[in-house]
Amino acid sequence: MNTTIIDYQHYLTATEIAAIEHEASIMETREAAGIEALKVVQAHRGWISDESLFAISDLLAIPVAQLEGVATFYNLIYRQPVGQNVIHLCDSIACHLTGADSVLAAIKQHLNIEYGQTTADGKFTLLSNACLGSCDKAPAMMIGNEHYQYLSPEIAVDILQKLAVKREVNG
């Protein structure tokens, strides 16, 4: 990451600035709005580029390194481009004990990608997640804001097929 300063007024949209300022206004400090600001920009752009990070840092008047620490700690902030559907497959012991490895194998085979990769058509990115909080309903995955539980290889592939069709219909 370079150390270029990005003027937020020339980089962020008026909508992004307004949403970030709203979040900052309801927090005790502007620093506390860092994670929400990252979420706002990611919602509009799909991921957090270095330029986005610098612009948010400029707007909130917080150090870039501090914001980068938040961005890299929080596993739902993406610091590289991702697909339209980001699959978070739970990697907890409960999921492993209930068949997550076979679900992972089916997903990898169906999409022809490995962890950290995005399909050639840009529809799916596959990531592991340490825990999705579904230990009693394992194995589990999350795509967008949807949680899927009690997965089998067949169920997981069916979900992906339906999402692919839904994206084609809705654009």
Side-chain angles (χ1 to χ4, degrees):
M1 182 167 50
N2 63 38
T3 57
T4 306
I5 295 175
I6 302 287
D7 179 359
Y8 76 86
Q9 294 174 332
H10 292 102
Y11 184 80
L12 300 173
T13 67
T15 302
E16 290 168 332
I17 292 169
I20 293 168
E21 288 294 357
H22 168 74
E23 293 298 331
S25 75
I26 59 176
M27 301 287 180
E28 285 189 37
T29 65
R30 292 184 71 77
E31 284 181 339
I35 188 67
E36 296 306 319
L38 291 165
K39 289 180 188 177
V40 165
V41 173
Q42 181 170 284
H44 287 92
R45 299 170 187 241
W47 66 292
I48 300 296
S49 66
D50 287 350
E51 293 80 13
S52 295
L53 197 73
F54 289 122
I56 295 167
S57 168
D58 182 43
L59 174 57
L60 294 177
I62 61 175
V64 174
Q66 181 178 341
L67 196 58
E68 172 73 4
V70 172
T72 56
F73 174 78
Y74 189 55
N75 67 359
L76 297 179
I77 296 296
Y78 311 123
R79 290 288 284 126
Q80 61 186 14
V82 293
Q84 294 171 328
N85 298 286
V86 180
I87 305 162
H88 289 266
L89 187 62
C90 189
D91 195 26
S92 72
I93 189 66
C95 285
H96 276 286
L97 292 173
T98 56
D101 290 340
S102 62
V103 172
L104 172 61
I107 291 171
K108 288 166 59 172
Q109 180 180 11
H110 177 72
L111 297 177
N112 195 30
I113 59 174
E114 297 291 326
Y115 271 138
Q117 295 181 335
T118 300
T119 56
D121 61 6
K123 288 186 180 179
F124 295 96
T125 297
L126 178 60
L127 301 173
S128 69
N129 193 303
C131 182
L132 293 176
S134 295
C135 296
D136 59 329
K137 299 170 186 78
M141 70 179 172
M142 181 176 74
I143 303 174
N145 292 323
E146 290 291 321
H147 286 254
Y148 301 93
Q149 300 157 334
Y150 302 114
L151 295 174
S152 67
E154 298 78 20
I155 291 171
V157 168
D158 185 58
I159 290 165
L160 299 179
Q161 289 172 331
K162 287 177 181 171
L163 282 172
V165 169
K166 182 179 178 182
R167 285 287 182 181
E168 287 174 9
V169 171
N170 296 333

